[in-house]
Amino acid sequence: MIGKGAPNLQGSEKTHGAPLGADEIAATRANIGWASEPFVIPANIVDAWRAVAKRGAKARADWQKRLDASPKKARFEAAMSGVMPAAVSRSLAAFRKEHIEKATKVATRKASEMALGAINGATTLTVGGSADLTHSNLTITKGMERVAPGRYKGRYIHYGIREHGMSAAMNGIALHGGFVPYGGTFMVFTDYARGAMRLSALMGKRVIYVMTHDSIGLGEDGPTHQPIEHLAMLRATPNMTVFRPADIIETAEAWEVALNKTDGPTVLVLSRQNLPMLRDRHDKDNRSARGAYVLREPAGARDVTILATGSEVEIAKAASDRLLANHGVKAAVVSMPSWELFEAQDEAYRAKVLGKAPRVAVEAAARMGWDRWTGDNGAFIGMNSFGASAPAGELYKHFGITAEAVADAALKVAGKAGK
């Protein structure tokens, strides 16, 4: 009962958001038999709590002795340190090199599953799961045993259709320490997980959210499942790092950053549809770790810069090709997988990436936030309504998110329309 013990106000909303007042406080004291002065704790209560602390100190000391005698002490302390084993970075570096050479074309949700195979094979510290969408989110990898009643040795949790519950449980795992929790659902269902996701950020805990089916590109499931405003909401959340990778390489790079970020959560925003390899060479450096980078720099001065994330980076490259071939317009292409990490770079790096030419941004999501990067005279190609039910390719044409539309906008902002 709310306000229990306050004789005139208990059970009332009046005890929720306002002080009881001097008269009701006096009546409450009399009602519950509390005679001590304000902020004075009676000696018998202090003694009882100190006895609890004494028992706890002994239990803690006994536990420390067992740990000190254990041959697994070093392994335990390494896990609790929060530092990922070096084998993970080595595995991901080899993974990136392999797939650059193969020019692997897969959906980024599949790329995530493949990267997780490399990660989960290199460490036992990850604990995965999904809110009843395992085989859509692709969050389980070969050899992962499921956690079940009476069987707690596993590393994979079936949370059921409980997005908030999954996120809250992952917060608990992260608070305990020793494991790195990750869990998946559809991007649109961040609405259900929102409260717990916000707490991940507020508490500064390493929780990794695998959010697939990231745009109208999911197709026929339609507007109830197509996220529009969700990227803007996540990007607006303090201390939350959001990645929307464009291909398998950026996906692996995003995982590496997420695993090594110990002071807050990361959201991986992943596509349902296949995306081509966009890099043309292997880089030892993690380019996505800087948030944005120049994927294509034209010869000579830029006429325009096209900014994009995720599945729309492919469209940006096609627009750049079109501009040069049809109009002689030189367009740089910038991939921006993480706004937060790009914002954290120094001014010189940001200026080098963005350039001085007019800018066009393309993203199959709401415009909110993009004006900061395009500037007052820039343009945006994306969503300004809810989606619809149709194959992905048809939806992109219907909503005008095409290479042709991007090229037309680029010509306009560059002052070359009609030329």
Side-chain angles (χ1 to χ4, degrees):
M1 177 186 293
I2 192 169
K4 185 176 174 64
N8 302 305
L9 297 178
Q10 67 180 7
S12 164
E13 79 285 353
K14 293 179 180 178
T15 64
H16 189 194
L20 294 179
D23 292 342
E24 189 67 10
I25 288 173
T28 301
R29 285 172 162 276
N31 188 42
I32 65 175
W34 189 266
S36 298
E37 292 298 315
F39 303 104
V40 173
I41 304 173
N44 62 323
I45 294 177
V46 172
D47 292 344
W49 276 106
R50 287 178 176 163
V52 171
K54 190 174 181 180
R55 290 198 305 273
K58 182 179 185 306
R60 178 65 174 75
D62 291 345
W63 175 86
Q64 187 64 51
K65 288 178 183 178
R66 293 195 300 273
L67 177 63
D68 291 341
S70 173
K72 297 181 179 180
K73 179 183 179 181
R75 182 181 171 189
F76 173 82
E77 290 182 337
M80 293 302 291
S81 74
V83 177
M84 292 302 296
V88 174
S89 289
R90 290 196 298 269
S91 182
L92 284 172
F95 177 91
R96 289 192 284 125
K97 186 173 186 297
E98 174 191 353
H99 290 286
I100 277 280
E101 293 170 354
K102 291 180 177 178
T104 303
K105 178 179 180 178
V106 291
T108 51
R109 62 170 177 154
K110 181 64 178 178
S112 172
E113 178 190 45
M114 294 163 71
L116 275 171
I119 293 162
N120 292 338
T123 182
T124 59
L125 299 183
T126 48
V127 175
S130 173
D132 203 47
L133 289 167
T134 291
H135 300 296
S136 290
N137 304 142
L138 305 180
T139 41
I140 195 168
T141 59
K142 186 177 180 181
M144 290 189 87
E145 187 177 344
R146 293 159 175 78
V147 175
R151 269 182 29 220
Y152 308 114
K153 187 179 179 180
R155 295 168 56 197
Y156 195 83
I157 303 170
H158 289 288
Y159 289 101
I161 309 173
R162 301 180 182 92
E163 293 84 359
H164 173 76
M166 173 182 73
S167 305
M170 291 196 294
N171 282 341
I173 294 169
L175 283 162
H176 177 276
F179 296 104
V180 180
Y182 70 86
T185 187
F186 288 171
M187 175 66 167
V188 76
F189 297 149
T190 53
D191 287 339
Y192 303 141
R194 168 70 177 155
M197 293 179 75
R198 187 173 188 270
L199 283 176
S200 302
L202 192 154
M203 295 186 294
K205 291 295 129 184
R206 176 171 49 185
V207 178
I208 302 172
Y209 295 94
V210 182
M211 299 300 180
T212 70
H213 297 63
D214 68 341
S215 72
I216 58 170
L218 66 86
E220 289 88 343
D221 279 354
T224 57
H225 284 58
Q226 293 165 353
I228 303 296
E229 71 278 22
H230 300 74
L231 268 170
M233 175 270 289
L234 292 171
R235 288 167 174 160
T237 305
N239 197 36
M240 183 170 284
T241 300
V242 182
F243 275 99
R244 190 169 183 249
D247 63 9
I248 191 170
I249 302 304
E250 287 192 1
T251 304
E253 290 175 337
W255 265 110
E256 184 174 24
V257 172
L259 289 167
N260 288 292
K261 179 178 171 56
T262 59
D263 59 354
T266 301
V267 185
L268 306 182
V269 181
L270 307 173
S271 75
R272 180 178 185 264
Q273 71 271 38
N274 288 343
L275 302 178
M277 172 69 66
L278 297 174
R279 301 271 182 94
D280 55 12
R281 61 182 173 81
H282 174 61
D283 241 316
K284 290 185 178 180
D285 293 334
N286 184 330
R287 301 184 77 187
S288 297
R290 302 196 77 172
Y293 61 95
V294 180
L295 182 66
R296 172 183 287 174
E297 187 73 86
R302 299 181 191 180
D303 294 313
V304 68
T305 298
I306 305 173
L307 314 174
T309 75
S311 47
E312 288 71 69
V313 180
E314 175 186 10
I315 293 173
K317 284 189 73 175
S320 174
D321 291 338
R322 184 182 182 90
L323 286 164
L324 186 61
N326 296 346
H327 305 280
V329 171
K330 299 174 181 179
V333 176
V334 172
S335 180
M336 296 188 71
S338 176
W339 289 11
E340 297 80 20
L341 294 183
F342 185 57
E343 186 176 14
Q345 304 306 306
D346 60 66
E347 185 177 349
Y349 179 78
R350 294 199 306 269
K352 181 180 178 181
V353 170
L354 294 173
K356 296 180 179 179
R359 299 170 206 146
V360 176
V362 54
E363 185 174 67
R367 179 174 186 149
M368 185 175 290
W370 271 111
D371 293 308
R372 168 165 186 195
W373 307 117
T374 61
D376 292 340
N377 298 317
F380 174 74
I381 302 296
M383 298 296 293
N384 56 19
S385 69
F386 292 112
S389 178
E394 293 182 19
L395 288 171
Y396 272 82
K397 291 178 183 176
H398 175 76
F399 288 105
I401 306 173
T402 63
E404 293 81 0
V406 174
D408 288 346
L411 290 170
K412 185 175 181 179
V413 300
K416 297 180 181 291
K419 296 181 181 179

